[in-house]
């Protein structure tokens, strides 16, 4: 097949992105071909900028444009509360709820022997140091509710206990807007166990 | 929510692409954040190159890196056959079959009064000029099998008849690997009408 090399290269590069297959990559490339030069330049610049201008906050490991991120710097944040999450995307997810006004700590993953993630490769020592040095009253473990997330939560809870602080983790139960009929047994089971008096 | 501006801008730019929503754009942006600088640079360069180095073939309006595309220039192609398609992506689709060795003509759309596409805005006059001047024996109309595609095919067939050439269009029938039970009535109806003696 006679596809020009520049088109083939763009398709190849686009299909390296997660959840973009060959067909989607081709559609995106042909869309870019039809776009204005300035739009393509904007897209391209924004990706380069994202990579070059952002770093990781030295306190909480969240994405930041400066050494310390906006959340850690903010005067409005409750600095005695730390919410521990796996990834930067989880910070965005929790921030979107507007229910949390403390600080974050991005672990960079969870304990997973199979994928070679051990305690050393996560930002656990940095978390302990923050708890030790700061005036922290509570650490909320907001890891994913799967086996690895639960294991890591238990591991962290054990480590954090020595500092005499409150350690909590997110509630398990029925998702809002969900349907009891289509909810899995494990979730319903947890919801029954953790039922709340009205 | 406190998302750094560079991240927000990358998400905004990515979500302008077709079939990329806010959530996908965020996932792509966070993936790019974790990628190597050289990979992001490659992606970015390939998009800019695609836009800057490619043009449209002056003969058939297919994508090309030169004034005339590789297919039009090729010695191996049957220059008496023209396959008319809507978009550049359709050229790629037909090329992938390896069943066609003639030339192409990209219309740039189909007649569609609702979206303001009339005969003037398509490459119809250029097609007629090619048929008039070249040694064309057959024009294959390979437009999409929907109402607008069919209408445009009939319109083109009428125009092309004056040049005393064979005008054909792609067969309609059951898709290979399809399931009779789940095929729509219109398709089965066409397949019955166009049945072939064994």
């Amino acid at each position: 097949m006679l596809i020009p090399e520049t088109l083939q290269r763009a398709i190849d590069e686009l299909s390296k992105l997660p959840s973009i297959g060959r067909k989607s990559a081709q559609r995106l490339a042909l869309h870019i071909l039809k776009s204005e030069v300035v739009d393509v330049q904007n897209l391209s610049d924004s990706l380069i900028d994202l990579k070059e201008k952002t770093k990781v906050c030295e306190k909480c490991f969240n994405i930041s444009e400066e050494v310390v991120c906006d959340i850690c710097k903010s005067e409005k944040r409750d600095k005695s509360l730390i919410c521990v999450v796996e990834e930067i995307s989880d910070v965005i997810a929790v921030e979107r709820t507007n229910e949390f006004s403390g600080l974050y700590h991005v672990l960079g993953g969870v304990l997973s022997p199979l994928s070679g993630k051990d305690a050393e490769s996560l930002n656990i020592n940095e978390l302990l140091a923050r708890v030790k040095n700061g005036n922290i009253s509570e650490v909320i473990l907001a890891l994913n509710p799967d086996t690895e997330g639960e294991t890591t939560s238990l591991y962290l809870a054990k480590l954090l206990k020595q500092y005499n602080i409150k350690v909590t983790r997110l509630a398990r139960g029925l998702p809002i807007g969900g349907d009891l009929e289509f909810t899995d047994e494990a979730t319903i089971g947890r919801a029954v166990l953790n039922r709340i008096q009205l």
Side-chain angles (χ1 to χ4, degrees), chain A:
Chain A
M1 189 177 20
L2 295 163
I3 287 190
E5 202 196 321
T6 39
L7 176 59
Q8 191 59 58
R9 202 179 131 225
I11 294 175
D12 290 345
E13 290 295 333
L14 285 166
S15 58
K16 286 181 192 164
L17 295 173
S19 75
I20 307 272
R22 307 292 307 173
K23 286 239 167 173
S24 304
Q26 183 185 307
R27 188 149 30 96
L28 291 179
L30 291 171
H31 170 87
I32 282 161
L33 203 62
K34 282 189 176 182
S35 308
E36 299 295 321
V37 175
V38 59
D39 290 337
V40 180
Q41 193 70 57
N42 281 342
L43 170 63
S44 172
D45 288 351
S46 76
L47 301 185
I48 295 288
D49 277 2
L50 176 62
K51 193 62 204 167
E52 287 185 348
K53 289 196 188 158
T54 57
K55 35 191 161 255
V56 145
C57 169
E58 65 166 20
K59 285 192 176 176
C60 73
F61 301 94
N62 186 16
I63 179 180
S64 174
E65 285 171 355
E66 284 159 71
V67 180
V68 174
C69 77
D70 288 343
I71 295 177
C72 285
K73 270 192 300 195
S74 169
E75 288 297 317
K76 290 180 188 155
R77 292 282 176 158
D78 180 350
K79 295 200 188 321
S80 70
L81 256 178
I82 292 181
C83 178
V84 178
V85 293
E86 287 177 33
E87 302 288 351
I88 290 168
S89 51
D90 299 327
V91 173
I92 300 175
V94 176
E95 277 297 278
R96 204 173 277 144
T97 67
N98 287 322
E99 296 282 358
F100 180 72
S101 61
L103 305 180
Y104 291 92
H105 191 87
V106 180
L107 272 192
V110 279
L111 294 174
S112 169
L114 286 176
S115 32
K117 280 265 184 191
D118 57 6
E120 289 307 303
S121 63
L122 303 176
N123 303 319
I124 293 181
N125 288 332
E126 293 83 351
L127 172 65
L128 299 179
R130 283 178 78 183
V131 171
K132 201 171 163 187
N133 302 328
N135 233 336
I136 309 297
S137 64
E138 182 177 351
V139 170
I140 304 173
L141 300 171
L143 307 182
N144 284 332
D146 52 21
T147 317
E148 291 171 347
E150 301 273 9
T151 314
T152 311
S153 291
L154 290 175
Y155 177 79
L156 290 177
K158 214 170 152 188
L159 286 179
L160 289 165
K161 263 187 189 156
Q162 58 182 306
Y163 300 107
N164 235 337
I165 50 163
K166 199 166 151 190
V167 179
T168 55
R169 58 126 235 251
L170 295 189
R172 311 282 186 246
L174 301 176
I176 307 299
D179 194 322
L180 205 66
E181 184 183 352
F182 301 117
T183 307
D184 62 295
E185 307 82 25
T187 302
I188 298 182
R190 282 297 193 97
V192 172
L193 280 177
N194 302 338
R195 65 192 177 280
I196 286 185
Q197 187 166 10
L198 296 176

